[in-house]
């Protein structure tokens, strides 16, 4: 269910806000993503089955890692996944923290 038609388009897909479940977004892959990565569906199914510990802070529920929550099928075919919505204005991409050359300026959105 799309909420207000909000979407962001990137190189591999589109990310849509959803009305249900609350607090999640839907990443729908473009056909080009499937042609580049034949293991995409298998990898996402594995990620959903085995989320890392503490991807969400237990006490507050704060999302520390936007990990896939569930796969999405359309007419029985894998098309994308649901993941927690993240406030991108208060987020730092992981590579900006782990890469020493990026770490110097790792504050706020990129």
């Amino acid at each position: 269910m799309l909420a207000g038609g909000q979407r962001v388009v990137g190189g591999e897909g589109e990310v849509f806000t959803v009305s249900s479940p609350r607090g999640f977004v839907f990443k729908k892959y473009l056909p080009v993503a499937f042609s580049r990565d034949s293991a995409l569906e298998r990898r996402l199914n594995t990620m959903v089955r085995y989320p890392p510990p503490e991807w969400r802070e237990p006490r507050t529920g704060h999302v520390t890692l936007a990990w896939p929550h569930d796969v999405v099928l359309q007419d029985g075919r894998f098309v994308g996944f649901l993941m927690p919505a993240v406030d991108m204005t208060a987020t730092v991409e992981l590579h900006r923290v782990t890469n020493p050359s990026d770490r110097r300026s790792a504050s706020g959105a990129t």
Side-chain angles (χ1 to χ4, degrees):
M1 301 176 135
L2 300 181
Q6 296 178 353
R7 74 180 184 142
V8 176
V9 180
E12 287 191 332
E14 302 170 287
V15 177
F16 297 90
T17 58
V18 297
S19 58
S20 178
R22 289 183 50 109
F24 284 82
V25 295
F26 164 48
K27 179 169 183 174
K28 181 177 182 180
Y29 284 105
L30 298 172
V32 68
F34 295 108
S35 65
R36 289 183 191 156
D37 187 352
S38 61
L40 187 60
E41 179 179 2
R42 181 173 38 95
R43 189 171 55 256
L44 266 294
N45 275 300
T46 300
M47 292 173 77
V48 166
R49 281 194 311 273
Y50 302 103
E54 299 181 19
W55 68 271
R56 187 181 288 268
E57 206 281 323
R59 190 175 52 79
T60 65
H62 173 77
V63 173
T64 56
L65 182 62
W67 195 262
H69 177 73
D70 204 356
V71 296
V72 175
L73 305 177
Q74 181 177 11
D75 298 324
R77 287 186 38 243
F78 170 76
V79 294
F81 63 93
L82 292 176
M83 69 180 177
V86 175
D87 178 0
M88 295 305 290
T89 63
T91 301
V92 176
E93 292 178 19
L94 186 58
H95 75 89
R96 294 182 53 85
V97 177
T98 58
N99 184 336
S101 63
D102 290 336
R103 196 176 299 137
R104 288 184 210 88
S105 63
S107 61
T110 57

